[in-house]
Amino acid sequence: MHMAGHGIEEFKRHSHRKLYIIAAMAILTVFFAVVTLQIDLGYIDYRELLHIIFNKNDPSNNPVNEILVWDLGIPRILSCILAGFALGIAGAVMQCVLKNPLGSPYTLGISNAAAFGASIGIVVLGGG
């Protein structure tokens, strides 16, 4: 009976640890998104950038900087984050389908088919 209580407590600790890791990764994602946005725009300092992000349509904001942040920077960063989520989910699905934690697109030849499609697009359709 004592072992069952120990297992539940261990599971709770493990679950809390996973939640802390997920929260830390979310905070790091937001932090690096702001850093990337500032590096991308270059001449806008962090204080002005955060003011534009948290106070959209404020008359004190420079309209050009606001357009750069909201119409160019943030959509690009969000699309990168969504692409990362999609690639992570695709990898997890691939591993679940193969029932192998080392499963990859190379295992089924998906990467070779993608390379073949890209070469067809370049040669036949004149891409690149």
Side-chain angles (χ1 to χ4, degrees):
M1 191 67 163
H2 183 264
M3 293 293 286
H6 177 70
I8 293 172
E9 292 301 318
E10 184 66 28
F11 176 75
K12 287 181 181 179
R13 272 197 302 275
H14 182 70
S15 296
H16 287 278
R17 195 175 313 134
K18 285 194 294 188
L19 287 176
Y20 292 142
I21 291 172
I22 290 171
M25 291 298 161
I27 291 169
L28 283 173
T29 300
V30 171
F31 172 75
F32 283 119
V34 171
V35 169
T36 302
L37 191 57
Q38 197 279 330
I39 291 171
D40 186 29
L41 297 176
Y43 64 92
I44 300 175
D45 63 343
Y46 285 108
R47 190 172 353 131
E48 183 180 357
L49 179 63
L50 291 174
H51 187 266
I52 290 172
I53 290 173
F54 290 116
N55 299 311
K56 187 178 179 185
N57 297 326
D58 188 4
S60 66
N61 289 341
N62 183 347
V64 173
N65 291 345
E66 193 168 316
I67 289 171
L68 288 174
V69 170
W70 282 102
D71 294 342
L72 294 176
I74 291 179
R76 186 179 342 181
I77 288 173
L78 290 178
S79 66
C80 290
I81 291 171
L82 289 175
F85 282 155
L87 288 171
I89 291 170
V93 167
M94 179 69 67
Q95 291 174 351
C96 287
V97 166
L98 296 175
K99 296 180 182 159
N100 181 355
L102 299 177
S104 70
Y106 299 101
T107 306
L108 295 179
I110 294 171
S111 60
N112 292 330
F116 177 71
S119 63
I120 292 294
I122 291 170
V123 173
V124 174
L125 302 175

